[in-house]
Amino acid sequence: MQPRNKEQEQEVLNWIFAVIGEKVPSGQYEDILKDGIWLCKLANKLAPGSVKKIQERGTNFQLMENIQRFQAAVKKYGVPEEEIFQTADLFERRNIPQVTLSLYALGRITQKHPEFTGPSLGPKMSEKNERSFTEEQLRAHEGELNLQMGFNKGASQAGHGGFSNTRHM
């Protein structure tokens, strides 16, 4: 498990609450996110209606359902399943750095949604950079390729001693 990065955690909180449009509450990172309420509100800001029911209070089981609803919503939004944290990572504080990585992944995926015009989180994704070459440009490099591949026409392993199946006694 990688160590926690307080700067990244603060950046994630700042991003979540900038998207939601509320002030970052005071408290520890994992305590603010633990019940999944803010995560569900975030999901609904990114994809309105993606989390139908948010448990504002209740048993641990009911609050864990918030996290599961958030996970389902961000998977549908486009975050790869392998990048989504496990419920216990957050709720039981088993792997808080994984929670942070998952939220960075979500921030990255917002860049693929032109309808999202809010703040970004993390590095900008690279854009498709197609290149087109003329036949002439492609042919100009064929000679270079032959040189790189080497001229060993005539080289063979004939006459190489190698291994033999016969036994010498």
Side-chain angles (χ1 to χ4, degrees):
M1 189 180 349
Q2 64 256 38
R4 290 179 61 172
N5 181 323
K6 295 292 184 186
E7 291 83 34
Q8 286 181 342
E9 291 175 5
Q10 192 57 54
E11 188 179 1
V12 166
L13 283 180
N14 292 344
W15 177 72
I16 290 171
F17 288 94
V19 171
I20 294 171
E22 297 203 25
K23 194 173 149 293
V24 178
S26 60
Q28 291 295 312
Y29 176 75
E30 61 273 25
D31 295 333
I32 295 168
L33 300 179
K34 179 184 177 185
D35 59 16
I37 294 168
W38 292 115
L39 295 176
C40 289
K41 289 180 177 182
L42 172 65
N44 280 338
K45 279 286 188 182
L46 298 176
S50 59
V51 177
K52 306 275 185 266
K53 181 181 179 193
I54 302 173
Q55 289 288 147
E56 295 282 346
R57 63 184 61 83
T59 65
N60 280 352
F61 181 74
Q62 289 169 317
L63 296 174
M64 279 195 283
E65 284 182 333
N66 284 338
I67 297 172
Q68 291 160 354
R69 290 183 186 114
F70 167 78
Q71 291 163 327
V74 298
K75 181 179 177 192
K76 192 173 178 193
Y77 190 71
V79 178
E81 191 167 0
E82 63 274 9
E83 291 191 66
I84 300 172
F85 65 89
Q86 301 294 309
T87 304
D89 290 343
L90 174 58
F91 202 81
E92 298 171 13
R93 296 177 171 89
R94 285 198 189 157
N95 193 348
I96 297 300
Q98 186 58 46
V99 174
T100 304
L101 286 174
S102 295
L103 291 165
Y104 268 100
L106 175 59
R108 184 184 74 234
I109 296 299
T110 62
Q111 297 175 37
K112 290 186 170 184
H113 289 265
E115 74 282 2
F116 177 73
T117 56
S120 61
L121 174 68
K124 189 174 183 328
M125 287 181 77
S126 62
E127 313 243 324
K128 196 172 187 179
N129 187 2
E130 285 190 44
R131 295 171 176 88
S132 52
F133 297 100
T134 64
E135 276 298 311
E136 190 180 325
Q137 288 171 314
L138 291 171
R139 260 192 243 109
H141 293 288
E142 282 178 1
E144 291 174 24
L145 269 176
N146 287 334
L147 288 172
Q148 288 171 0
M149 288 165 50
F151 283 98
N152 55 357
K153 288 184 168 99
S156 79
Q157 291 189 355
H160 182 270
F163 293 101
S164 165
N165 281 340
T166 57
R167 286 185 142 159
H168 300 286
M169 299 224 175

